[in-house]
């Protein structure tokens, strides 16, 4: 029996195909389990139901157990679940038993030889899994067990090997789902665009929130919408919060405290910073964070803690409910009005554990914190206090006060358990030593312009981070800083008065050191012992002339950046033999050319060669001989940047650099010769190498037919070679594929451009494909070509997921690459990687051409728009019934002319001439039409398009864009042996007749076409 699923589900089929691939249904020899996890309201149950409906007929028995968590909490709940389980799978009468253990025995006995599909929905503890699906061996070969849960750890602990993480909807999916609930159509109604975007911005891709808010707003006017959205921001909808709170209520006290601290104070903060503060609060942080991550309450992205806005709202609502009417009795305060009320009325209490205040120049009494005996966390921004010295509680673990208003700490302030001082932009003058601060791990005094010296910190033995950036008057640092045993991170960038840091240092835990922009710093300290931790050193734009021989003691050094150190004369030979040293950046250091002559005597590649993998040596006046020495001296290079130099040719020896993947020779104005490159090369940046010979350009073009994975090349060029599989013109390259996502490389020729960086975005059937780690930024220039393999836009796992969009049917799907900012391409081309893509599964013209009658197509013969986008009775000037009749006629003609079954779902409307097409012009469409139809529309979210009443922006402002799109759509390309000219003129004439294009515009374009001919 099929399970009911709401009709307004968006993007569901793609997710079904992804989970089906994990189920491996073709393998019937074994039984397997698949887990689906994610936050409450993200659509786990809906996905499981859709998957169940798709595959249940492939099994001897199928059972979907809803609400396992809820049912288990009832009396004899697990026994009831077991009985339901057996009843649905065996299709017999109810089997009676009274204990879970008895039920397990019956399950194992009766189901061992039966191929079944089982879905356990909303599981929240191991006992439920033990009672219902303890092991795969309970079920017959070929069985599949699907488990949905909020807790990833349950799946891991139960040894579920295939786990699928539910993702939030992207902005396009969010808008469609919201509109289906708010307007019963897939795009916003007139005048509701901005409010709809506000609503989806609030929901942040959570399907539950989009449906609840959309359903609540249906039929309301603009003022009611504004009021409701404002209310949701302050008081989240109870239906949403009740679902999300289930995850919070299941936590232990340690995890609840950590969760509430993050929700109130630390969302978006750096993970290591937060961990140190929470450790200082005596929480079990490591274990607590893991539990919150497993339950999808937080995520870690790029080293930062992230919490969904609605989960954060739920956590803050938990705190509000501690004392709904009295903020002074709550444990945490973050709302400006609540904090100000407590502080101005001096109503601080021992209940308050944390405060975050950000307001503009409020004069608050200095003893406002005096009664807050349990205050652990104090975060203050842009606030001033009056009436003398500020009282600070000694129970503080975090003092984060940007612009702390005093030159010194209060005399009675001695926070023995303080974990972090974050006092940027303060007038502090540090005079007293930091003594007996055993718990202190973090100090940040950046932009404190009164600090001239750092005092004794020997009493803070556990200090791990010290940040002194832009302390412009700093001239001296106490020698104790150089001998902190646990210091991991030390940054003093931009300290422009600092001439010498310390004479000696031994920091055995150090992993990061920065003196960037310390322009007077002339000496690097001696290293008095071996420092073997992985170490990164940044010293850009300093006055250092040389590094000491003791630099060899930095055995853990892996990265050194001394770019723009113009006085740097020599690098110690010991540097290049450090065992972990792989990255060196010395661009803008022209005096270092001689440092590489030491390798001239090395003839054997097996001895004395450095391990260097990345070398940046740009803007250093390098000659051909210098470049040869570099290439010869560093055979293990993976990335070489020698841009803005004077050499004329790249040595042929570079072909021996078998690990080299990236070569940057941009702005080498004299460069003429580029020889054959190693097979490992993936990226070549040759922008503004305007002296390149034709042979060198051909060498770079030849990387495409070699089908190099993740190819990316930029070079001066204005023509595309004939051997590419397809040539095109216009702003948005488009092609069609089926079966699987094709592996192709594209070439973009840019004519005029006012900027040098563009973003590239991929669309499949007009749906934007979002990625987590986007390599979307490309450097380009006028009269240049950019070659790139589409795979560079995605991580490997993200690329593999694209196939799932094509595998559930054999439909042709459009693939489009768009530039941001919008640029007009002079030409573009596609090369298909034939080792990985079948040419029968890719096309460069619409796979459903118009085939009606013998008359020639008038150019605009295709409209791509799903049937349900058409609003019945919306044609202007005609009877509504005739509208529908005419539409049905066109649909029937279209379906008869398209042989593929997917033509119906694609709804490729075809007409041989203007008469049928003009009928469609009267219909209003419920969402944006394809960019491929006529031209580029002014906004991404155009709604209710009526072609008689709404003129596309580009018709009046960019007629050339229209022409390029007409050329692409009117007829097969010149590559196919056909001319476009007649179709262009016929199309423009027809547009003028239908009043889409004015007579004046048509005449001007006709004259231009004649002159071009």
């Amino acid at each position: 029996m099929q399970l009911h699923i709401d009709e307004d589900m968006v993007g569901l089929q793609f997710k079904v195909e992804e989970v089906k691939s994990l189920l491996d249904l073709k393998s019937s020899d074994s039984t397997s389990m698949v887990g689906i996890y994610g936050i409450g309201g993200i659509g786990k149950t809906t996905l499981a139901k859709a998957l169940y409906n798709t595959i249940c007929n492939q099994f001897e028995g199928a059972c979907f157990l809803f609400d396992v968590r809820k049912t288990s909490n009832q009396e004899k709940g697990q026994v009831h679940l077991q009985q339901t389980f057996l009843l649905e799978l065996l299709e017999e009468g109810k089997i009676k038993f009274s204990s879970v253990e008895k039920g397990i025995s019956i399950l194992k006995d009766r189901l061992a030889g039966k191929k079944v599909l089982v879905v356990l929905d909303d599981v929240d503890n191991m006992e439920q899994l033990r009672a219902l699906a303890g092991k795969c061996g309970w079920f017959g070969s070929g069985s599949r067990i699907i488990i949905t849960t909020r807790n990833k750890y349950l799946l891991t602990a139960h040894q579920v090997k295939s786990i699928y993480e539910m993702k939030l909807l992207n902005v396009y999916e969010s808008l469609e789902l919201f509109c289906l609930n708010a307007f019963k159509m897939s795009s916003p109604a007139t005048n509701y665009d901005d409010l709809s975007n506000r609503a989806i911005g609030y929901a942040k891709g959570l399907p539950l929130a989009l449906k609840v808010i959309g359903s609540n707003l249906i039929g309301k006017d603009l003022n009611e919408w504004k009021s409701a959205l404002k209310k949701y921001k302050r008081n989240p909808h109870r239906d949403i919060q009740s679902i999300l709170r289930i995850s919070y209520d299941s936590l232990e006290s340690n995890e609840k405290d950590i969760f509430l601290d993050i929700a109130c104070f630390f969302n978006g903060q750096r993970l290591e910073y937060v961990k140190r503060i929470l450790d200082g609060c005596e929480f079990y942080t490591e274990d607590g964070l893991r539990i919150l991550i497993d339950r999808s309450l937080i995520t870690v992205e790029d080293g930062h803690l992230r919490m969904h806005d609605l989960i954060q709202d739920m956590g803050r609502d938990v705190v509000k409910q501690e004392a709904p009417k009295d903020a002074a009795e709550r444990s945490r305060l973050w709302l400006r009005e609540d904090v100000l009320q407590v502080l101005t009325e001096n109503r601080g209490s021992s209940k308050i554990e944390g405060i975050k205040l950000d307001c503009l120049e409020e004069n608050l009494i200095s003893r406002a914190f005096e009664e807050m005996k349990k205050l652990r966390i104090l975060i203050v921004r842009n606030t001033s206090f009056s009436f003398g010295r500020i009282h600070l509680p000694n129970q503080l673990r975090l003092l984060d006060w940007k612009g702390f208003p005093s030159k010194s700490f209060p005399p009675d302030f001695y926070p023995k358990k303080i974990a972090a001082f974050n006092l940027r932009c303060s007038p502090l003058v540090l005079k007293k030593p930091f003594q007996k601060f055993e718990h202190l791990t973090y100090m940040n005094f950046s932009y404190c312009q009164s600090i001239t010296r750092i005092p004794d910190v020997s009493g803070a033995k556990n200090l791990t981070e010290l940040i002194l950036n832009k302390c412009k008057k700093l001239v001296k640092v106490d020698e104790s800083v150089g001998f902190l045993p646990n210091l991991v991170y030390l940054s003093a960038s931009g300290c422009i008065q600092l001439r010498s840091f310390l004479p000696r240092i031994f920091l055995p835990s150090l992993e990061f050191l920065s003196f960037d922009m310390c322009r007077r710093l002339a000496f690097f300290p001696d290293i008095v012992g071996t420092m073997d931790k992985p170490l990164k050193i940044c010293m850009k734009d300093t006055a250092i002339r040389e590094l000491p021989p003791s630099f060899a003691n930095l055995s853990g050094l892996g990265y050194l950046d001394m770019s723009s150190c113009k006085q740097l004369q020599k690098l110690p030979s010991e540097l290049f033999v450090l065992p972990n040293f792989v990255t060196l950046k010395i661009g803008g250091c022209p005096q270092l050319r001689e440092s590489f002559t030491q390798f001239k005597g090395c003839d054997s590649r097996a001895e004395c060669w450095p391990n260097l993998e990345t070398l940046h040596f740009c803007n250093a006046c390098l000659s051909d001989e210098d470049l040869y020495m570099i290439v010869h001296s560093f055979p293990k290079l993976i990335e070489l940047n020698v841009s803005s130099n004077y050499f004329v040719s790249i040595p042929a020896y570079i072909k021996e650099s078998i690990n080299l993947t990236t070569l940057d020779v941009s702005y080498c104005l004299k460069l003429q010769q580029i020889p054959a490159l190693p097979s490992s090369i993936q990226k070549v940046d040759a922008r503004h190498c305007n002296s390149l010979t034709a042979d060198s350009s051909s060498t770079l073009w030849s990387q495409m037919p070699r089908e190099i994975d993740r190819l990316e090349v930029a070079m001066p060029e204005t023509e595309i070679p004939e051997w590419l599989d397809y040539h095109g013109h216009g702003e948005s390259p488009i092609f069609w594929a089926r079966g699987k996502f094709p592996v192709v490389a594209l070439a973009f020729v840019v004519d005029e451009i006012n900027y040098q960086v563009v973003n590239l975005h991929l669309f499949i059937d007009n749906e934007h494909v979002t990625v987590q780690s986007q390599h979307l930024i490309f450097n380009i220039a006028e009269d240049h070509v950019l070659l790139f393999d589409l795979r560079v836009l995605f991580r490997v796992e993200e690329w593999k997921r694209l196939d799932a969009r094509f595998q559930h049917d054999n439909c042709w799907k459009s693939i489009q690459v768009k530039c941001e900012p919008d640029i007009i391409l002079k030409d573009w081309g596609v090369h298909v990687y034939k080792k990985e893509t079948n040419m029968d599964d890719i096309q460069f013209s619409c796979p459903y051409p118009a085939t009606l009658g013998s008359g020639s197509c008038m150019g605009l013969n295709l409209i791509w728009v799903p049937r349900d986008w058409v609003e019945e009775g919306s044609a202007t000037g005609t009877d509504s019934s005739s509208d529908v009749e005419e539409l049905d006629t066109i649909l029937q003609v279209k379906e008869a002319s398209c042989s593929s079954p997917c033509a119906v779902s694609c709804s490729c409307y075809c007409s041989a001439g203007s008469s049928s097409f003009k009928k469609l012009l009267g219909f209003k469409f419920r969402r944006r039409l394809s960019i491929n139809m006529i031209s580029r529309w002014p906004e991404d979210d155009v709604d209710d398009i009526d072609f008689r009443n709404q003129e596309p922006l580009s018709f009046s402002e960019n007629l050339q864009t229209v022409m390029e799109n007409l050329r692409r759509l009117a007829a097969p390309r010149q590559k196919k042996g056909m001319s476009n000219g007649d179709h262009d003129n016929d199309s423009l004439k027809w547009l003028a007749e239908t009043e889409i294009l004015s007579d004046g515009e048509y005449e001007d374009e006709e004259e231009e076409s004649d002159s071009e001919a």
Side-chain angles (χ1 to χ4, degrees):
M1 183 179 67
Q2 295 284 294
L3 302 174
H4 171 71
I5 298 177
D6 292 340
E7 295 179 358
D8 58 5
M9 289 298 99
V10 175
L12 193 58
Q13 186 60 45
F14 172 54
K15 295 181 175 68
V16 168
E17 295 302 320
E18 287 190 311
V19 182
K20 278 178 65 177
S21 67
L22 295 177
L23 286 170
D24 190 17
L25 296 171
K26 294 180 181 179
S27 174
S28 59
D29 297 334
S30 60
T31 300
S32 62
M33 296 186 183
V34 170
I36 301 173
Y37 82 98
I39 60 175
I42 201 169
K44 300 182 296 295
T45 301
T46 302
L47 173 58
K49 289 197 295 184
L51 184 62
Y52 178 92
N53 287 346
T54 303
I55 65 175
C56 63
N57 59 358
Q58 301 179 32
F59 298 86
E60 297 173 22
C63 174
F64 195 116
L65 282 181
F66 290 93
D67 297 322
V68 171
R69 172 187 56 81
K70 193 173 184 179
T71 305
S72 294
N73 291 331
Q74 301 170 1
E75 184 178 357
K76 294 285 186 179
Q78 289 189 12
V79 171
H80 174 70
L81 286 170
Q82 289 175 324
Q83 291 172 339
T84 304
F85 201 13
L86 290 166
L87 180 64
E88 293 193 18
L89 289 176
L90 300 177
E91 298 181 350
E92 301 175 0
K94 185 175 181 180
I95 302 174
K96 295 184 178 181
F97 48 88
S98 59
S99 70
V100 171
E101 298 302 325
K102 180 65 173 177
I104 290 174
S105 298
I106 297 174
L107 283 172
K108 292 166 66 175
D109 180 61
R110 300 295 300 274
L111 300 177
K114 196 175 180 70
K115 178 183 176 182
V116 296
L117 172 65
V118 175
V119 180
L120 306 179
D121 178 51
D122 196 16
V123 174
D124 75 340
N125 68 54
M126 290 297 296
E127 288 302 311
Q128 296 159 6
L129 291 175
R130 191 184 75 85
L132 297 169
K135 293 183 178 180
C136 289
W138 290 14
F139 309 95
S141 295
S143 294
R144 297 293 183 267
I145 297 90
I146 300 168
I147 304 164
T148 76
T149 181
R150 302 177 185 217
N151 189 350
K152 182 183 177 183
Y153 175 74
L154 289 180
L155 302 173
T156 304
H158 200 56
Q159 298 182 333
V160 177
K161 295 180 180 179
S162 298
I163 299 176
Y164 182 80
E165 179 185 5
M166 289 290 294
K167 301 290 187 181
L168 297 167
L169 300 181
N170 63 40
V171 65
Y172 301 94
E173 294 168 333
S174 296
L175 183 62
E176 183 174 355
L177 179 58
F178 173 77
C179 292
L180 287 170
N181 285 275
F183 306 110
K184 300 304 178 185
M185 58 185 186
S186 54
S187 63
T190 305
N191 299 325
Y192 282 83
D193 297 72
D194 290 341
L195 289 172
S196 296
N197 287 325
R198 280 176 56 188
I200 67 171
Y202 169 74
K204 292 289 174 60
L206 188 68
L208 170 69
L210 292 164
K211 294 178 68 175
V212 169
I213 296 171
S215 299
N216 192 55
L217 293 174
I218 192 169
K220 295 184 178 180
D221 61 30
L222 289 170
N223 290 329
E224 290 175 308
W225 270 57
K226 293 175 183 178
S227 176
L229 291 175
K230 185 176 181 180
K231 182 184 73 172
Y232 293 148
K233 190 67 178 175
R234 184 64 186 268
N235 298 299
H237 196 287
R238 61 181 180 274
D239 291 345
I240 302 171
Q241 295 302 303
S242 62
I243 295 295
L244 296 176
R245 179 153 181 170
I246 292 170
S247 297
Y248 170 81
D249 290 336
S250 67
L251 298 173
E252 300 293 337
S253 60
N254 178 71
E255 287 72 49
K256 284 182 176 179
D257 279 331
I258 292 173
F259 172 80
L260 294 179
D261 276 355
I262 295 172
C264 295
F265 307 122
F266 300 126
N267 189 11
Q269 295 291 313
R270 193 162 53 88
L271 173 63
E272 292 302 319
Y273 172 69
V274 177
K275 282 171 64 175
R276 288 172 185 137
I277 294 166
L278 296 177
D279 283 341
C281 294
E282 300 178 10
F283 296 143
Y284 302 104
T285 308
E286 200 72 42
D287 188 56
L289 290 176
R290 182 193 61 78
I291 291 172
L292 297 181
I293 292 170
D294 284 343
R295 301 196 182 191
S296 302
L297 291 170
I298 61 172
T299 59
V300 177
E301 300 173 13
D302 298 323
H304 290 71
L305 284 174
R306 306 289 183 192
M307 180 181 287
H308 191 281
D309 288 358
L310 292 175
I311 294 178
Q312 181 178 39
D313 290 343
M314 178 270 291
R316 291 180 169 185
D317 188 62
V318 169
V319 175
K320 287 181 184 179
Q321 298 309 313
E322 294 172 353
K325 302 295 185 181
D326 189 356
E329 294 299 310
R330 298 174 193 160
S331 62
R332 297 161 179 86
L333 302 178
W334 64 93
L335 284 176
R336 177 178 180 272
E337 51 267 39
D338 289 342
V339 177
L340 290 179
Q341 180 186 5
V342 171
L343 296 183
T344 54
E345 297 175 6
N346 198 20
R347 295 187 59 243
S349 73
S350 60
K351 296 286 184 66
I352 299 174
E353 298 180 25
I355 287 179
K356 182 176 182 179
L357 174 61
D358 190 346
C359 62
L360 297 175
E361 300 300 327
E362 294 282 351
N363 286 312
L364 304 174
I365 58 174
S366 60
R367 305 191 68 83
F369 304 110
E370 193 167 5
E371 298 302 320
M372 302 181 191
K373 305 298 184 182
K374 294 183 179 179
L375 190 66
R376 299 179 289 113
I377 296 169
L378 179 59
I379 303 171
V380 182
R381 307 276 188 273
N382 306 312
T383 306
S384 61
F385 283 69
S386 58
F387 306 112
R389 289 186 178 272
I390 297 169
H391 176 83
L392 295 173
N394 283 323
Q395 293 300 315
L396 279 178
R397 294 337 194 251
L398 167 65
L399 178 58
D400 181 350
W401 196 321
K402 184 179 180 181
F404 182 74
S406 178
K407 292 185 177 181
S408 61
F409 294 119
D412 57 346
F413 180 55
Y414 185 47
K416 295 182 179 180
K417 295 186 177 182
I418 191 82
F421 285 117
N422 194 351
L423 300 167
R424 297 159 295 155
C425 307
S426 301
L428 277 170
V429 178
L430 299 177
K431 294 183 178 180
K432 295 182 178 180
F434 289 87
Q435 296 179 343
K436 297 183 180 180
F437 283 91
E438 298 177 1
H439 300 274
L440 184 61
T441 60
Y442 179 94
M443 290 201 297
N444 187 347
F445 298 111
S446 297
Y447 297 90
C448 292
Q449 307 304 351
S450 298
I451 291 180
T452 59
R453 61 183 297 272
I454 301 299
D456 183 1
V457 294
S458 59
K461 294 292 186 183
N462 291 308
L463 191 67
T464 58
E465 290 192 45
L466 177 59
I467 305 174
L468 308 169
N469 297 334
K470 297 294 181 73
C471 292
K472 295 184 178 180
K473 295 183 179 180
L474 179 66
V475 295
K476 187 174 182 180
V477 177
D478 189 86
E479 65 178 13
S480 61
V481 173
F483 294 90
L484 290 168
N486 296 298
L487 193 66
V488 174
Y489 187 101
L490 173 58
S491 181
S493 299
C495 297
I496 57 177
Q497 299 296 329
L498 190 64
R499 295 178 180 273
S500 176
F501 179 60
L502 288 169
R504 302 178 308 141
I505 64 171
F506 176 60
L507 300 167
S509 300
L510 193 67
E511 296 181 9
F512 180 87
L513 175 65
S514 177
F515 294 119
D516 282 347
M517 313 299 289
C518 294
R519 295 190 174 96
R520 297 190 182 187
L521 184 69
F523 302 98
F524 190 87
D526 278 323
I527 313 300
V528 298
T530 301
M531 294 170 53
D532 57 3
K533 291 289 185 182
L535 177 60
K536 179 178 181 178
I537 297 179
C538 299
M539 296 191 291
K540 297 189 292 288
D541 197 7
T542 67
I544 293 175
R545 293 176 177 271
E546 62 179 357
L547 298 173
S550 62
F551 214 74
N553 288 331
L554 300 176
S555 60
L557 180 67
Y559 179 106
L560 176 62
D561 188 350
M562 298 191 71
S563 302
S564 301
C565 293
K566 294 180 176 59
Q567 299 181 50
L568 186 62
Q569 299 176 352
K570 184 180 179 181
L571 295 174
S573 58
E574 295 85 359
L575 174 66
F576 294 101
V577 294
L578 291 175
N580 301 295
F581 185 52
V582 294
T583 300
L584 175 62
K585 297 185 178 182
I586 47 174
C589 302
Q591 298 187 57
L592 286 181
R593 293 168 56 197
E594 299 299 322
S595 291
F596 297 96
T597 60
Q598 60 186 291
F599 298 103
K600 280 188 176 180
C602 294
D603 296 324
S604 170
R605 300 182 70 88
E607 60 181 58
C608 79
W609 293 116
N611 293 318
L612 206 64
E613 295 177 356
T614 298
L615 175 62
H616 288 198
F617 205 178
C618 57
N619 193 25
C621 306
L622 298 180
S623 66
D624 285 31
E625 183 181 359
D626 296 327
L627 183 58
Y628 175 82
M629 188 56 60
I630 289 170
V631 172
H632 185 268
S633 301
F634 301 106
K636 299 179 182 178
L637 279 178
I638 296 174
E639 178 182 341
L640 176 61
N641 183 341
V642 285
S643 59
S644 301
N645 277 299
Y646 296 158
F647 49 81
V648 176
S649 63
I650 296 174
Y653 192 79
I654 198 169
K655 193 170 184 180
E656 303 298 318
S657 299
I658 58 175
N659 299 307
L660 190 68
T661 62
T662 302
L663 176 63
D664 188 346
V665 291
S666 59
Y667 295 92
C668 291
L669 304 182
K670 295 184 178 181
L671 179 62
Q672 298 177 17
Q673 300 293 334
I674 297 179
L677 297 172
S679 59
S680 57
I681 203 75
Q682 292 179 314
K683 180 177 179 180
V684 180
D685 188 349
R687 286 173 299 128
H688 302 287
C689 296
N690 296 320
S691 300
L692 284 179
T693 64
D695 287 344
S696 295
S697 296
S698 297
T699 297
L700 297 179
W701 275 111
S702 69
Q703 307 306 305
M704 286 182 90
R706 289 170 58 191
E707 301 194 0
I708 293 173
D709 184 22
R710 299 182 175 272
L711 174 70
E712 183 183 341
V713 177
M715 62 177 170
E717 183 63 83
T718 58
E719 301 293 335
I720 291 180
E722 288 296 322
W723 48 260
L724 266 69
D725 294 301
Y726 187 72
H727 295 180
H729 306 278
E731 62 184 52
S732 296
I734 183 171
F735 50 95
W736 285 260
R738 66 182 179 185
K740 63 176 292 188
F741 196 89
V743 182
V744 298
L746 276 69
F748 288 179
V749 176
V750 179
D751 191 359
E752 297 181 3
I753 189 171
N754 297 322
Y755 28 78
Q756 294 192 359
V757 175
V758 297
N759 294 342
L760 297 181
H761 299 280
L762 181 71
F763 291 76
I764 298 177
D765 276 352
N766 282 330
E767 177 188 343
H768 183 234
V769 179
T770 56
V771 294
Q772 289 183 332
S773 72
Q774 299 181 346
H775 176 176
L776 302 176
I777 300 176
F778 294 82
N779 296 313
I780 194 62
E782 188 173 312
D783 293 327
H784 277 58
V785 65
L786 172 67
L787 321 179
F788 64 96
D789 174 358
L790 269 182
R791 286 175 288 194
V792 299
L793 302 181
F794 302 92
R795 289 179 177 177
V796 174
E797 60 272 19
E798 291 169 337
W799 175 263
K800 291 178 179 178
R801 292 179 62 189
L802 291 177
D803 283 345
R805 294 175 178 264
F806 289 76
Q807 290 173 346
H808 65 273
D809 53 35
N810 201 36
C811 283
W812 290 99
K813 296 182 183 296
S814 64
I815 299 171
Q816 200 165 17
V817 180
K818 299 183 183 180
C819 301
E820 180 191 2
D822 207 5
I823 61 174
I824 297 177
L825 302 176
K826 178 182 177 182
D827 290 295
W828 56 272
V830 181
H831 176 72
V832 181
Y833 283 21
K834 297 161 181 80
K835 294 178 182 177
E836 302 182 71
T837 299
N838 189 331
M839 288 298 290
D840 292 336
D841 293 328
I842 186 169
Q843 290 197 26
F844 301 102
S845 59
C846 176
Y848 306 112
T851 58
L852 305 180
S854 58
S856 64
C857 294
M858 306 299 289
L860 296 178
N861 62 325
L862 300 171
I863 303 179
W864 289 76
V865 50
R867 183 198 305 255
D868 64 357
W869 289 9
V870 180
E871 187 174 345
E872 294 182 3
S874 63
T876 57
T878 60
D879 174 73
S880 62
S881 61
S882 63
D883 294 343
V884 178
E885 182 180 352
E886 176 62 28
L887 177 61
D888 286 342
T889 301
I890 296 173
L891 281 170
Q892 292 168 10
V893 170
K894 177 269 303 181
E895 290 168 3
S897 66
C898 299
S899 59
S900 172
C902 68
V904 177
S905 62
C906 291
S907 295
C908 176
Y909 292 78
C910 302
S911 65
S914 63
S915 58
S916 295
F917 191 86
K918 286 177 66 177
K919 295 289 186 181
L920 282 176
L921 297 180
F923 289 95
K924 290 185 179 180
F925 296 93
R926 291 178 178 160
R927 61 182 281 186
R928 178 168 57 93
L929 300 183
S930 170
I931 197 172
N932 313 317
M933 194 189 81
I934 297 178
S935 181
R936 170 171 50 92
W937 298 97
E939 300 291 342
D940 283 341
D941 294 315
V942 177
D943 50 55
D944 295 331
I945 294 177
D946 186 331
F947 286 95
R948 289 178 177 170
N949 299 326
Q950 181 167 340
E951 180 177 286
L953 178 65
S954 53
F955 273 75
S956 59
E957 295 190 359
N958 193 348
L959 204 54
Q960 183 61 36
T961 302
V962 180
M963 281 297 298
E964 294 299 342
N965 282 319
L966 288 173
R967 290 188 182 101
R968 183 165 73 241
L969 291 170
R973 292 286 178 191
Q974 296 166 345
K975 182 91 172 174
K976 305 296 184 181
M978 297 180 64
S979 170
N980 287 328
D982 293 340
H983 289 299
D984 291 341
N985 291 329
D986 286 346
S987 299
L988 287 169
K989 182 178 180 180
W990 174 74
L991 288 171
E993 291 172 352
T994 55
E995 300 179 355
I996 293 179
L997 190 64
S998 68
D999 291 338
E1001 287 172 321
Y1002 167 59
E1003 291 171 358
D1004 292 343
E1005 185 59 33
E1006 190 174 38
E1007 291 175 5
E1008 184 177 335
S1009 298
D1010 290 340
S1011 65
E1012 287 179 351

